[in-house]
Amino acid sequence: MSDASGSGDDFGLTRRTLLKAGGAGAGAAALGGCLSAADAPEEASGEATTAHGNCWQCHKYCGMEVTLNGDGKAEEVHGVDGHPRGSAGEGTKGTLCPKGLSQLEKAYSPRRIKQPHVRKDGELKKVGWDEAFEYTAEMMESFDQDYGANKMVRLHGFATAAKHEACLPSSNPFKYVFGNLYGSSESVPHPVPTCFGSSSQTYTLAGLGGNMRWPDFPNTKYLLVWGRNPLETFAGQWEAKQLLEAKERGATIVTIDPQYTETAKKSDKWLPIKPRTDGALALAMGHVIVNEGLYDEDFVDNHTHGFETYREAVADKTPEWAAEKTGLDAEDIRDIAVGFAEAAPAAAMQSWTGLGQSPDLQKAAQNQVSLLGLVGAIDRPGGQKLWSCAPTKDPFEDVEGLPNNAEGKENPMKEYLPMAYSSTQNAIPTAIKNGDVKGLTLYYRNPVKDGAAEEWLEALDELEMFITIDSFWSSVSRKADVVLPEASQLEKPMYGHGGYGAYNTKTWVTGSKAAIDPQFDTKSGWEILKGIAEALGYGEYFPWEDKEEYIDEQLSPVDMTLDELDEKNYELIDSYGYEKWKDGGFANDTETFWFDFDKKFDELYKGLSEQYDFEFDTGPQWVPPGTIGDELTDEYPLELIDHRTVYFSHGGDQALDKPLEQFAESMDKEHEDYRGNYLHINPKDASSRGISDGDMVSVEGENGEVSLMAHVTEGIVPGTVSMAYGFGAASIQPDEEGANSMMLNTPDDVDPINGQIDRHLAVQVAPAGGEH
Ligand SMILES: Nc1nc2c(c(=O)[nH]1)N[C@H]1C(S)=C(S)[C@@H](COP(=O)(O)OP(=O)(O)OC[C@H]3O[C@@H](n4cnc5c(=O)[nH]c(N)nc54)[C@H](O)[C@@H]3O)O[C@H]1N2
Ligand SMILES: Nc1nc2c(c(=O)[nH]1)N[C@H]1C(S)=C(S)[C@@H](COP(=O)(O)OP(=O)(O)OC[C@H]3O[C@@H](n4cnc5c(=O)[nH]c(N)nc54)[C@H](O)[C@@H]3O)O[C@H]1N2
Ligand code: SF4
Ligand SMILES: [Mo]
């Protein structure tokens, strides 16, 4: 670590502003950063310089080197070598993915929301920030008087810090401003109920939690990529790189997925499983491992709970039994069971949303995670890793007299909660319709693409107060009363503190100062929240001058400042080892891995059994598709799922031309006058319906119909169709082109225990009338 010398602080000029502005421009840039690149003269007047940044396109902080021209305009972005998220580790090259590269377009995009807007006489009108903050505060105050602040629901992307979430941001100003200060009681966090609630619940109860996503790559010998596509959905560049390195080193990679994903293409084996039948596969693998005595007796005897229940559950689940349910080969099932167990403890899994977005998969995820306990591949070299984070501080914790005005307030969603969790997103539209929720604040979030889309669109019109902090226009932001435009990550200081990443035994921090000034008339989210707090009269509880000062406080436990951290962009902090579970490192708050949830979910499963006329156990169990979720019928015989691509982060960048173009090219359809998403459909299902590649098709479910372009491919199992999400109605795609599959999902399509939105829907597909 270096000290802050050379930072030029004496004159209020930081090293960055001096570097950035160069010679004559320095004064202008230092004076509050008024000279934004957008209104800079066309010809660069100074020398090119570089700055650091942290990519936030998919919220993983990959390190960036930003090349600025003489006017401070960002012209190129590159990776940072050795970066914990952007490289494979020490001495390796740092890179950025297509989303990361597209942030140059994002920063200067004419589709950005360029200045604050507030609703006057029914119309959104451009205003300055002072007026926007005042208007927002007055609206919030009168809402509080009329209905009570707790009638407002707040939704924020990526801001919870649960133990099983492996070190998400340590501090959440959004929660403090709208919760503690304003007094709204409800927020709907990640990962339950929009991301992978059905499996997150079981992974956490068993003891792994979010750690099911990232193995100890450098040492692994056998990897089951199970309902995940990490070569496109990598959580940072490090992950794809270490996965490919493991393969080169000779590790066996098996992908279990109804789609022939980019990861499946690079795997030793692809098991094209029928969706929602993973529970059968996992039980049969357990059957083989137990019968052949391949499990870790010492781990099972000394560090687990409920093994007898498990043994009984798998006793009759032969590979042949599972083959019939899953559409897989019994021999393949036997092979991967033996391969996995023999490689253990250097055997691991990568799983995320594939088993996380259907109530029928909740038990499948329990059966799946049980395999790790069975072979003892938990936090041992090459197994499933329990990650550690560098120490960090939540600056709000030291704010004197910080009130909690949300305390004791009634949760407006209390009538709509799932059985075991304190929130559910799909019920919000109903709560709005019933008058139980009257206000909504969104920050970097679009709930309309997540579920119950039609109901959401109607409900948004009925709100008494709707605030959004966003960067692009959409039919969602256009419905808001206040639209506060956020600056993108190149335009603001960033800070992250670790967990999973390229360094499997080292904690780290990463951070950067703003590379360019906020474009147009935008502000960082942090500044927007400070502005709202001040306008509400709570400025004293937001005492930091700027975000850099705030980050300095977050960094104080590792004895660094942002100035210092910015020099290299990241720093390794402490070392740690394996077998953290010996000290209670499990996510279930015990020192034991749980096969059986008998002590926690007895009553719940009893209630569920009555509701669904199915005998739910607390132990591992086979739950057939359609038990809680949609059943396939003659009318709706196809199962609709969805997926991500490497070009988009959720619904966050479909407003940008380059990713839309690259996506069309990847589908070999750039020549078409169409920039929506594509329905992946097997040739068998397509030809029996008279559908050819490139045709427009309609997808109909019980609740409606959407249309998009067909992509006919052997890369999806017959009987299943899938599309990338983030398109169509309510998306930021400039023409709302493509389909929003969640128009087919209703408020009731959720996991009854945790509220996770069900994204396995029964549909029919037909040619859409007319050519596109
Ligand atoms: N159909 C379907 N829906 C899903 C999923 C799925 O698998 N299928 N997965 C779910 C999962 S796993 C998750 S984690 C959630 C994530 O979902 P969200 O947390 O909602 O994230 P995004 O979709 O990226 O948010 C999109 C919004 O962010 C805005 N935005 C873009 N850039 C910025 C910026 O710099 N600042 C601000 N303030 N706003 C910006 C966009 O304009 C848009 O309005 O989605 C869930 N939704
Ligand atoms: N490029 C990109 N990367 C991202 C994101 C992004 O939006 N874009 N989002 C980030 C976030 S928040 C998340 S939650 C993760 C999600 O990461 P992933 O879970 O890897 O997301 P998907 O690409 O949707 O992959 C899920 C896979 O599950 C398969 N699947 C669906 N149903 C079943 C089933 O019943 N059984 C099995 N075995 N497989 C099934 C699908 O075919 C798909 O290939 O990605 C993260 N990384
Ligand atoms: S993986 Fe790509 S989009 Fe995500 S943070 Fe890294 S460079 Fe950015
Ligand atoms: Mo997610």
Side-chain angles (χ1 to χ4, degrees):
M1 282 183 220
S2 67
D3 64 18
S5 63
S7 65
D9 276 329
D10 291 356
F11 305 99
L13 299 179
T14 61
R15 185 180 59 88
R16 166 58 27 74
T17 48
L18 280 169
L19 267 180
K20 192 166 62 177
L31 289 171
C34 302
L35 184 71
S36 83
D39 43 48
E42 287 206 343
E43 293 239 330
S45 53
E47 273 176 39
T49 53
T50 60
H52 276 134
N54 284 93
C55 181
W56 197 240
Q57 286 297 92
C58 83
H59 323 281
K60 302 301 181 293
Y61 304 111
C62 288
M64 295 192 288
E65 212 168 271
V66 187
T67 311
L68 308 162
N69 75 10
D71 293 325
K73 181 169 184 190
E75 303 223 299
E76 283 177 36
V77 282
H78 297 277
V80 168
D81 296 347
H83 192 275
R85 287 279 170 77
S87 82
E90 202 92 63
T92 69
K93 196 166 170 47
T95 52
L96 299 167
C97 78
K99 295 179 295 299
L101 295 170
S102 75
Q103 65 197 306
L104 284 178
E105 183 185 346
K106 178 173 178 178
Y108 303 113
S109 170
R111 297 208 180 97
R112 287 261 300 262
I113 302 172
K114 299 191 181 79
Q115 69 182 90
H117 286 68
V118 303
R119 197 165 290 283
K120 289 183 184 169
D121 306 321
E123 303 262 312
L124 277 178
K125 296 268 161 61
K126 292 178 191 174
V127 292
W129 279 102
D130 287 346
E131 190 179 343
F133 286 140
E134 242 164 70
Y135 180 101
T136 307
E138 276 170 24
M139 184 176 64
M140 287 169 72
E141 277 156 3
S142 66
F143 181 89
D144 187 22
Q145 276 160 20
D146 293 347
Y147 310 107
N150 63 320
K151 292 278 186 190
M152 186 203 88
V153 166
R154 52 192 152 93
L155 300 180
H156 180 197
F158 307 94
T160 44
K163 185 174 178 181
H164 61 272
E165 266 298 274
C167 323
L168 276 168
S170 58
S171 173
N172 181 355
F174 181 75
K175 181 195 90 180
Y176 283 108
V177 173
F178 286 94
N180 286 59
L181 300 181
Y182 182 53
S184 91
S185 62
E186 168 72 353
S187 75
V188 179
H190 285 306
V192 180
T194 60
C195 179
F196 67 123
S198 309
S199 55
S200 167
Q201 171 197 312
T202 42
Y203 296 159
T204 303
L205 285 169
L208 265 303
N211 298 304
M212 281 296 283
R213 294 172 278 183
W214 308 284
D216 185 33
F217 284 112
N219 301 302
T220 204
K221 295 191 181 128
Y222 204 100
L223 187 56
L224 295 174
V225 180
W226 196 334
R228 222 201 130 185
N229 181 16
L231 289 188
E232 292 208 63
T233 65
F234 38 78
Q237 294 279 274
W238 73 281
E239 194 181 13
K241 292 175 179 188
Q242 289 203 341
L243 172 64
L244 294 171
E245 278 184 2
K247 175 156 168 66
E248 267 167 39
R249 226 189 31 246
T252 303
I253 318 276
V254 177
T255 292
I256 304 160
D257 199 301
Q259 301 197 70
Y260 190 52
T261 60
E262 289 304 315
T263 313
K265 288 177 196 168
K266 292 273 183 342
S267 298
D268 296 283
K269 212 177 198 33
W270 172 43
L271 298 191
I273 195 167
K274 225 172 106 182
R276 291 190 289 177
T277 66
D278 304 83
L281 169 63
L283 289 172
M285 288 175 67
H287 173 92
V288 173
I289 294 169
V290 170
N291 273 21
E292 301 197 10
L294 295 173
Y295 65 98
D296 182 337
E297 258 186 81
D298 178 64
F299 186 81
V300 165
D301 288 349
N302 297 308
H303 305 288
T304 70
H305 163 81
F307 179 63
E308 276 318 306
T309 316
Y310 182 76
R311 188 200 284 276
E312 275 167 42
V314 300
D316 56 348
K317 305 298 184 297
T318 61
E320 287 68 26
W321 168 85
E324 189 233 324
K325 310 269 186 257
T326 55
L328 302 175
D329 216 59
E331 255 338 282
D332 282 341
I333 299 176
R334 198 165 271 117
D335 276 0
I336 65 165
V338 172
F340 180 75
E342 284 183 342
M349 294 180 189
Q350 278 180 287
S351 197
W352 204 333
T353 65
L355 275 68
Q357 303 192 340
S358 162
D360 295 326
L361 282 163
Q362 211 191 94
K363 280 282 159 186
Q366 186 177 355
N367 306 346
Q368 177 202 34
V369 67
S370 289
L371 291 168
L372 288 164
L374 188 64
V375 302
I378 299 172
D379 212 25
R380 285 171 162 165
Q384 213 66 31
K385 184 81 192 138
L386 302 177
W387 301 86
S388 288
C389 299
T392 185
K393 179 181 164 192
D394 179 352
F396 280 98
E397 274 171 10
D398 274 358
V399 173
E400 214 171 305
L402 180 79
N404 186 358
N405 296 324
E407 206 166 270
K409 296 250 178 86
E410 193 171 78
N411 180 352
M413 297 294 298
K414 74 178 192 327
E415 303 294 332
Y416 308 87
L417 296 183
M419 293 160 85
Y421 282 77
S422 59
S423 66
T424 176
Q425 187 173 295
N426 252 25
I428 297 172
T430 316
I432 294 172
K433 208 184 260 169
N434 294 344
D436 291 317
V437 166
K438 290 184 171 292
L440 176 71
T441 300
L442 300 179
Y443 178 11
Y444 211 144
R445 187 115 178 226
N446 176 7
V448 187
K449 72 166 196 314
D450 296 341
E454 203 173 313
E455 289 77 7
W456 261 110
L457 283 171
E458 282 167 20
L460 290 177
D461 288 329
E462 291 175 36
L463 289 166
E464 299 296 335
M465 174 173 84
F466 178 12
I467 301 166
T468 189
I469 303 174
D470 205 309
S471 289
F472 294 107
W473 289 110
S474 68
S475 51
V476 179
S477 44
R478 273 190 288 269
K479 284 179 193 285
D481 301 305
V482 171
V483 182
L484 304 171
E486 186 176 28
S488 76
Q489 61 271 26
L490 286 174
E491 306 156 58
K492 59 196 177 194
M494 301 291 293
Y495 162 70
H497 75 123
Y500 62 86
Y503 297 92
N504 56 344
T505 54
K506 287 192 182 118
T507 63
W508 50 271
V509 291
T510 186
S512 49
K513 297 159 74 164
I516 59 174
D517 294 322
Q519 295 304 295
F520 313 108
D521 195 8
T522 64
K523 283 183 190 292
S524 72
W526 189 92
E527 285 176 286
I528 293 173
L529 292 166
K530 182 172 162 74
I532 295 172
E534 282 170 350
L536 285 169
Y538 290 124
E540 68 192 284
Y541 304 118
F542 219 115
W544 313 273
E545 184 62 32
D546 54 28
K547 193 176 173 189
E548 289 190 18
E549 193 180 313
Y550 177 82
I551 292 177
D552 280 346
E553 219 174 304
Q554 288 183 288
L555 272 168
S556 57
V558 296
D559 203 18
M560 277 188 112
T561 63
L562 186 62
D563 256 340
E564 291 164 335
L565 182 55
D566 181 71
E567 305 244 336
K568 180 171 159 197
N569 187 228
Y570 75 93
E571 201 67 59
L572 304 180
I573 305 296
D574 289 320
S575 293
Y576 64 103
Y578 292 91
E579 302 195 342
K580 258 168 69 178
W581 34 264
K582 284 188 171 156
D583 314 312
F586 277 126
N588 58 11
D589 293 323
T590 74
E591 290 180 13
T592 306
F593 179 88
W594 287 29
F595 289 108
D596 190 352
F597 305 152
D598 50 350
K599 292 185 187 160
K600 291 216 168 148
F601 271 22
D602 273 330
E603 287 308 310
L604 264 175
Y605 284 135
K606 249 184 236 158
L608 203 62
S609 302
E610 280 161 26
Q611 212 177 325
Y612 290 93
D613 197 23
F614 180 89
E615 204 60 42
F616 284 93
D617 295 336
T618 52
Q621 178 184 21
W622 164 239
V623 175
T627 303
I628 299 179
D630 277 9
E631 236 173 318
L632 303 185
T633 60
D634 288 345
E635 196 179 357
Y636 299 116
L638 298 172
E639 181 155 343
L640 172 67
I641 57 176
D642 57 19
H643 61 256
R644 295 157 177 76
T645 72
V646 76
Y647 306 104
F648 304 101
S649 174
H650 308 289
D653 22 37
Q654 284 79 353
L656 304 177
D657 290 326
K658 196 163 172 204
L660 290 173
E661 215 47 44
Q662 288 174 323
F663 182 40
E665 278 168 23
S666 75
M667 293 283 128
D668 216 5
K669 295 186 174 58
E670 67 272 25
H671 52 280
E672 301 277 359
D673 176 25
Y674 174 85
R675 291 295 175 266
N677 50 351
Y678 305 87
L679 187 77
H680 294 227
I681 182 168
N682 187 278
K684 274 190 204 148
D685 296 321
S687 65
S688 64
R689 290 169 173 78
I691 292 166
S692 306
D693 190 55
D695 286 354
M696 291 302 286
V697 292
S698 88
V699 183
E700 194 197 320
E702 231 170 353
N703 318 301
E705 192 181 329
V706 291
S707 66
L708 73 168
M709 185 174 280
H711 176 61
V712 179
T713 169
E714 295 277 1
I716 187 160
V717 296
T720 300
V721 290
S722 186
M723 63 177 86
Y725 66 91
F727 287 83
S731 71
I732 58 174
Q733 205 283 355
D735 306 308
E736 295 197 350
E737 206 162 18
N740 175 348
S741 63
M742 291 297 107
M743 293 297 279
L744 311 181
N745 165 282
T746 68
D748 295 334
D749 290 321
V750 293
D751 188 316
I753 292 194
N754 50 56
Q756 167 65 44
I757 298 162
D758 191 353
R759 303 209 177 93
H760 286 245
L761 303 172
V763 299
Q764 181 56 291
V765 175
E771 294 280 295
H772 174 71

